[in-house]
Amino acid sequence: MTDPNAIQPSALDQLPDRDPEETAEWQASLDAVAKAAGPHRAAYLMRRTLERAEAGGIALPKLLETDYVNTIPTAAEPSVPGDEEMERKITAWNRWNAAAMVTRGSKYGVGGHIATFASAAWLYETGFNHFFKGKEADGSGDQLYIQGHASPGIYARAFLDGRLTEAHLDNFRQEAGGNGLPSYPHPRRLPWLWEFPTVSMGLGPLSAIYQARFNRYLTARGIKDVSDSHVWAFLGDGEMDEPESTAALALASREGLDNLTFVINCNLQRLDGPVRANFKIVQELEAQFRGAGWNVVKTMWGTAWDELFQLDTTGALVRRLRQVPDAQVQTYQTRDAAYIRQDFFGADPALVEMAKLLSDDKIIECFHLSRGGHEARKVYAAYKAAVEFKGAPTVILAQTVKGHTLGAGFASKNANHQMKKLTVDEFKTMRDLLELPISDSAFADGQVPYGHPGADSAEVRYLQERRAALGGPAPARRVHPVAPLPAPAEKAFASFDKGSGSQNVATTMAFVRLIKDLVRDKESGKRWVPIVPDEARTFGMESLFPSLGIYSPKGQTYEPVDRDQLMYYKEAKNGQILNEGITEAGSMADFIAASTAYSTHGEVMIPFYIFYSMFGWQRTADQMWQLGDQLGRGFLVGATAGRTTLTGEGLQHADGHSPVIAATNPAALTYDPAFAYEVAAIVKDGLRRMYGEAAPGEDPDVFYYLTVYNEPMPQPAKPSGLGIDEGIVKGLYRFNTAESAGLSPVANAPRIQLLGSGTAIHWTLQAQKLLAEEWGVAADVWSATSWTELRRDALEADAALLRGEERVPFVRQALQGADGPVLAVSDYMRQVPDQIAQWVEQDYSSLGADGFGLSDTREAARRHFGVDAESIVVAALAQLAKRGEVKATAVKEAREKYGL
């Protein structure tokens, strides 16, 4: 039988012991300490020994958890520069106005959140006064990812600073009439203030990591030295449950992003209750971040706790703090001293003795009020440690009380996230607590007043002086005057006009070839940011590896296995390609950082992110809304698009819906080009609109979504004639007629208009030939490059009519006078082409790939969905038969002939 006290084998037994006697002495010493002083003392000594080893550079596994105390002891805290009392007054005004704004708005039912900022006020104020660099200094300033629910406090500070008025505050969440404030950080709604949209929780931390990484990319490539910029992400502990919140922690550590700091407001509460009711979220996050290689700074307790820790000669207090679950800590916040004495201190005899030395007021001060995140000195020490730490990113775990200073009715209550107002009496209590000079008479008709010490007050002068020293107001978004990028040489685009001759070329390959030419442009080539999630070879991009290089902060420390090949895998410190591995979310975060560099850093970059189309909008549509809100510009490219072009991949991998989802995003211009010259024309127009000279009325703050195909097909020459380029960009043009296609239909033949997009146009062209040769029907073929843009133009025309303006939708103009019915064909679900149905004057019907995907050949899949050439013929005949233009029996004959 195994002796349970015997030392069990471990990984260390795999290593040779050069001095077993010395090893035994160390083990005996540990046993002696445990026996004489207890296991807690032994554990303490082991932790300190491991910390010493780590500090000395000895390679050992890191400790993943430390005690539930501050990382920086009180004795080691630096003094806070400036005037702490003045900062306390400023914070008090901000607390008041944030609560007043939300309370005043509650009578209109617009909502708002009070408790989050109340817990985080000092986390922001300390940064604004001492750390956050503004846009008006040299460089780009810092990038601030503000926690969305804390927005009232940021508005309150901007009001104190003179950047907002009372009218603004009274229009919180009331934007329709103008002069309003958006509920959360929305750059598209308030573009001079907000830089990053963060309230779709989880996207802020992910974006912050890739923003810090992109800053390094810009510096390494010599675009702009932004090494002085620091990225600050303010997060909630509940938000860290989102998978995106922790998805890229290893990347940040691996690349040593010491230009990044996470500040996690650990008020132990999420929206409905405790974050970790039976556990400890701070300890969990510490282990998670330490395990990922981050520097962790815990700011747990305020100075009132110093006396308690000095009395803790046995370690009983520290042990008890580790034992108590978060929900019980929350309960202590709401209970009296007697309860805390019994439940907390009564759990250990040593703590019972300690409690005898503490007054009730002291216990209440510690357990109700004193948290590290509520004291400027504690927060300053943590921030200073973060910005001075080198070699890894830092996370600050700051413990606070949700609803702090709002009164007993708010603090630590489970429902406080949904509580939108305070009573007048609660405001008066808050006023007295914050020592604000607001008289009772200011509460006219029960309305809570805003508070302001005056534009020339000491508080406002101090605030503005601190911001001036740090480079201007913050947060702030600036779009620096940047000259439009010169258009690339026409040759790069015109080379596609002649077609591919006898060679079959996929539009995916055509796009990549276009990019190869554009990145060579002397003026704008270095501005391109190719982004790909570990599928570059699938899309034919491996030829870019040796010429552009793949960005890596370490360069290439190995000899690649394919070094003797022409297209070898080349990493470089100044590499241009961002090859992100298997992470669409990370790639989108890259794209967002690059697409907004024009405002963040005053540097225009042209990102294109190419991906399997079904893993774009299907997987990361929330980030694409974030991109639109942040006013990003660039090209998203959904490759291997369409439900039937990617063979054998099955149900989940068949994209029949990405244009549907993309159509819901107002900032996305969605195109489904059929031919290589269309791809070139769309990219050319996109460069003009986003980076060149936008036409009057055009919004440059858009992004393009192009679907391209991996099916090699003949690429025809660009048709001659007027309006082709306009039609490509606006969404529809006539590619050919039956006559121009050389099909010579009989006189007075029935005629139909066939509209196809993307790869579907090739089946449409086959159907055009079958209709003419086998059924005597003349068909004209149209290329619908964008059903969505056609619809948006038509919606704008409808809106113009309501204003009394006469305007005809482009789709109606284009099809005006076209004989016969219209049949629209797409490799997507029918609702994609059906977007334009109500504006087409002719009889309209559609074919599409509705339903789940399947694994089979392209031909079999198209027959299954009823979108192949023969199915198009039958559908066309059915339309004509309904009009009496062909015999009804022709439909049945065609079905039988083609085996449908």
Side-chain angles (χ1 to χ4, degrees):
M1 187 173 180
T2 304
D3 180 359
N5 297 316
I7 297 176
Q8 300 301 311
S10 70
L12 293 177
D13 295 331
Q14 304 288 330
L15 305 175
D17 189 344
R18 293 184 299 179
D19 192 338
E21 185 176 346
E22 182 183 37
T23 303
E25 289 176 357
W26 275 78
Q27 293 171 338
S29 297
L30 182 63
D31 292 341
V33 171
K35 183 176 181 180
H40 299 295
R41 176 62 181 170
Y44 176 86
L45 291 175
M46 286 299 298
R47 285 198 300 273
R48 292 295 178 262
T49 302
L50 287 171
E51 290 169 357
R52 180 76 173 187
E54 182 180 340
I58 299 173
L60 285 172
K62 291 185 178 181
L63 286 170
L64 295 186
E65 283 188 36
T66 60
D67 286 324
Y68 202 66
V69 296
N70 296 347
T71 302
I72 303 171
T74 301
E77 291 170 358
S79 59
V80 180
D83 188 332
E84 289 189 58
E85 175 59 21
M86 193 63 68
E87 292 176 22
R88 186 199 65 78
K89 291 180 180 180
I90 292 170
T91 305
W93 285 116
N94 293 340
R95 288 182 182 279
W96 177 271
N97 288 320
M101 175 183 8
V102 176
T103 297
R104 287 166 70 117
S106 68
K107 68 180 180 181
Y108 302 110
V110 296
H113 302 288
I114 304 177
T116 295
F117 177 72
S119 67
W122 276 112
L123 301 181
Y124 291 107
E125 192 59 36
T126 303
F128 284 132
N129 286 324
H130 302 287
F131 292 94
F132 304 157
K133 295 186 286 292
K135 300 288 186 183
E136 296 171 5
D138 294 337
S140 300
D142 288 352
Q143 288 83 59
L144 308 180
Y145 288 77
I146 303 293
Q147 191 179 0
H149 291 143
S151 62
I154 308 305
Y155 289 140
R157 196 174 200 277
F159 169 63
L160 204 66
D161 194 13
R163 294 199 289 163
L164 293 176
T165 65
E166 285 194 15
H168 285 112
L169 300 192
D170 266 345
N171 282 305
F172 175 58
R173 292 194 171 197
Q174 298 176 74
E175 298 179 82
N179 208 35
L181 298 179
S183 53
Y184 300 126
H186 290 301
R188 188 170 285 274
R189 289 298 182 206
L190 203 61
W192 61 267
L193 179 73
W194 296 122
E195 196 166 16
F196 306 108
T198 53
V199 84
S200 191
M201 286 191 277
L203 300 191
L206 180 68
S207 293
I209 290 173
Y210 280 89
Q211 181 66 58
R213 199 284 196 94
F214 191 74
N215 290 357
R216 291 281 174 86
Y217 170 91
L218 284 179
T219 301
R221 289 196 54 219
I223 301 292
K224 182 178 183 179
D225 185 355
V226 295
S227 53
D228 285 339
S229 289
H230 200 89
V231 178
W232 299 83
F234 288 83
L235 317 168
D237 46 1
E239 180 177 6
M240 301 311 294
D241 283 347
E242 291 285 1
E244 294 90 349
S245 295
T246 55
L249 297 186
L251 167 72
S253 172
R254 184 169 64 246
E255 299 204 359
L257 299 182
D258 50 24
N259 60 338
L260 169 68
T261 297
F262 276 15
V263 181
I264 302 182
N265 178 15
C266 298
N267 56 36
L268 313 185
Q269 286 184 251
R270 50 190 180 198
L271 308 190
D272 291 330
V275 179
R276 291 291 182 272
N278 297 298
F279 306 93
K280 302 190 80 62
I281 185 60
V282 171
Q283 299 300 91
E284 179 180 316
L285 291 174
E286 178 183 27
Q288 193 169 14
F289 277 87
R290 283 189 186 278
W294 286 53
N295 175 45
V296 178
V297 177
K298 292 199 293 191
T299 303
M300 308 301 297
W301 308 108
T303 52
W305 283 82
D306 288 349
E307 179 183 342
L308 275 68
F309 289 126
Q310 290 169 5
L311 294 173
D312 186 28
T313 57
T314 65
L317 176 63
V318 173
R319 291 197 299 275
R320 183 65 178 139
L321 289 174
R322 285 183 64 116
Q323 293 167 357
V324 177
D326 284 352
Q328 191 64 21
V329 174
Q330 182 181 351
T331 298
Y332 293 149
Q333 177 69 34
T334 64
R335 303 301 288 269
D336 60 18
Y339 177 88
I340 298 171
R341 285 182 187 277
Q342 179 180 351
D343 191 87
F344 182 84
F345 291 97
D348 187 297
L351 293 180
V352 173
E353 295 302 313
M354 179 189 295
K356 293 177 181 178
L357 304 175
L358 304 174
S359 68
D360 285 355
D361 287 345
K362 183 65 176 181
I363 289 175
I364 292 300
E365 180 186 14
C366 288
F367 284 84
H368 284 201
L369 303 173
S370 186
R371 300 291 187 274
H374 295 325
E375 295 188 13
R377 182 184 177 94
K378 304 292 184 184
V379 176
Y380 181 86
Y383 286 7
K384 190 171 188 292
V387 297
E388 291 178 353
F389 189 87
K390 301 303 176 185
T394 294
V395 60
I396 295 169
L397 303 175
Q399 185 163 253
T400 65
V401 174
K402 194 167 186 178
H404 184 59
T405 73
L406 297 180
F410 261 86
S412 283
K413 294 298 176 67
N414 281 339
N416 62 18
H417 190 79
Q418 280 71 38
M419 295 162 69
K420 312 299 182 188
K421 59 184 178 180
L422 279 70
T423 66
V424 168
D425 287 342
E426 286 172 330
F427 266 109
K428 290 179 179 179
T429 300
M430 181 182 177
R431 171 201 62 190
D432 296 341
L433 175 67
L434 298 176
E435 300 177 355
L436 291 172
I438 298 173
S439 66
D440 286 352
S441 61
F443 292 82
D445 300 322
Q447 175 83 296
V448 56
Y450 294 119
H452 200 293
D456 194 40
S457 64
E459 292 96 322
V460 173
R461 288 199 307 272
Y462 180 88
L463 182 156
Q464 293 176 341
E465 287 168 2
R466 292 308 307 144
R467 288 311 315 157
L470 288 165
R477 181 178 180 272
R478 297 285 186 270
V479 178
H480 306 274
V482 177
L485 285 181
E490 181 65 26
K491 180 180 178 182
F493 305 103
S495 63
F496 293 91
D497 290 353
K498 60 184 178 181
S500 63
S502 59
Q503 183 182 8
N504 288 345
V505 176
T507 52
T508 300
M509 296 301 103
F511 176 82
V512 172
R513 182 186 138 194
L514 174 63
I515 294 300
K516 288 179 183 176
D517 292 339
L518 293 176
V519 296
R520 295 191 188 105
D521 185 84
K522 292 182 180 179
E523 296 290 336
S524 60
K526 69 178 182 179
R527 300 285 173 178
W528 284 88
V529 183
I531 303 168
V532 61
D534 198 38
E535 289 284 0
R537 297 182 192 278
T538 302
F539 308 134
M541 290 176 58
E542 67 269 27
S543 61
L544 297 176
F545 289 171
S547 58
L548 301 183
I550 300 166
Y551 170 73
S552 169
K554 288 186 175 294
Q556 195 153 38
T557 61
Y558 60 92
E559 183 176 354
V561 68
D562 54 359
R563 183 62 181 86
D564 57 341
Q565 298 178 15
L566 181 63
M567 294 183 287
Y568 68 96
Y569 196 82
K570 178 186 175 184
E571 297 186 78
K573 291 182 178 180
N574 64 346
Q576 192 165 352
I577 301 170
L578 293 173
N579 190 321
E580 291 304 357
I582 305 175
T583 169
E584 287 82 9
S587 299
M588 267 306 303
D590 261 338
F591 187 89
I592 292 169
S595 71
T596 53
Y598 73 93
S599 61
T600 308
H601 295 298
E603 293 291 342
V604 174
M605 305 302 288
I606 314 173
F608 80 87
Y609 165 34
I610 188 167
F611 50 89
Y612 268 104
S613 66
M614 74 292 290
F615 294 143
W617 291 89
Q618 176 174 306
R619 181 168 286 185
T620 57
D622 197 13
Q623 288 178 286
M624 292 162 181
W625 275 97
Q626 178 190 8
L627 166 66
D629 191 351
Q630 202 166 318
L631 290 80
R633 306 170 183 173
F635 297 95
L636 297 176
V637 184
T640 63
R643 184 147 275 163
T644 69
T645 60
L646 183 61
T647 59
E649 298 290 338
L651 180 152
Q652 183 184 0
H653 288 57
D655 172 23
H657 51 279
S658 69
V660 177
I661 308 174
T664 66
N665 190 312
L669 277 61
T670 304
Y671 288 91
D672 187 27
F675 306 123
Y677 67 80
E678 293 177 353
V679 173
I682 293 165
V683 172
K684 178 182 177 182
D685 189 70
L687 290 172
R688 175 199 62 79
R689 177 169 177 170
M690 296 185 291
Y691 302 102
E693 297 286 355
E698 278 187 328
D699 182 3
D701 297 323
V702 295
F703 60 92
Y704 283 63
Y705 175 56
L706 281 73
T707 49
V708 293
Y709 303 85
N710 68 329
E711 184 175 5
M713 299 294 287
Q715 296 298 326
K718 184 178 180 179
S720 58
L722 297 175
I724 298 297
D725 285 341
E726 179 189 28
I728 292 173
V729 172
K730 289 192 171 182
L732 183 68
Y733 69 96
R734 183 157 53 193
F735 175 72
N736 69 16
T737 63
E739 291 77 11
S740 66
L743 297 175
S744 303
V746 297
N748 299 318
R751 186 172 291 270
I752 190 169
Q753 307 300 316
L754 301 179
L755 280 57
S757 67
T759 194
I761 206 166
H762 296 284
W763 330 322
T764 306
L765 290 168
Q766 295 170 28
Q768 178 191 42
K769 185 176 182 182
L770 290 175
L771 283 166
E773 295 178 351
E774 300 184 7
W775 304 97
V777 172
D780 301 337
V781 174
W782 299 69
S783 179
T785 54
S786 180
W787 310 99
T788 302
E789 286 306 296
L790 291 172
R791 175 180 175 81
R792 287 178 177 168
D793 172 79
L795 290 172
E796 290 173 6
D798 286 354
L801 285 173
L802 291 176
R803 297 191 300 268
E805 303 170 17
E806 196 66 36
R807 184 175 158 194
V808 180
F810 178 79
V811 63
R812 187 170 294 169
Q813 295 178 44
L815 290 171
Q816 188 173 15
D819 293 334
V822 169
L823 175 61
V825 187
S826 168
D827 199 20
Y828 297 96
M829 40 201 312
R830 286 176 61 180
Q831 70 189 80
V832 175
D834 284 351
Q835 291 180 89
I836 67 169
Q838 72 184 83
W839 293 281
V840 176
E841 293 182 315
Q842 295 87 344
D843 292 338
Y844 187 91
S845 65
S846 64
L847 295 175
D850 285 76
F852 290 114
L854 76 165
S855 300
D856 213 311
T857 64
R858 292 185 177 118
E859 293 75 17
R862 286 162 189 165
R863 176 57 59 90
H864 169 79
F865 287 112
V867 293
D868 60 352
E870 291 79 6
S871 298
I872 295 172
V873 170
V874 173
L877 292 174
Q879 270 195 286
L880 292 168
K882 196 182 296 183
R883 294 161 58 96
E885 297 181 19
V886 300
K887 294 179 180 180
T889 56
V891 180
K892 181 180 179 183
E893 291 173 15
R895 273 201 308 266
E896 293 174 350
K897 179 175 182 177
Y898 300 133
L900 297 180

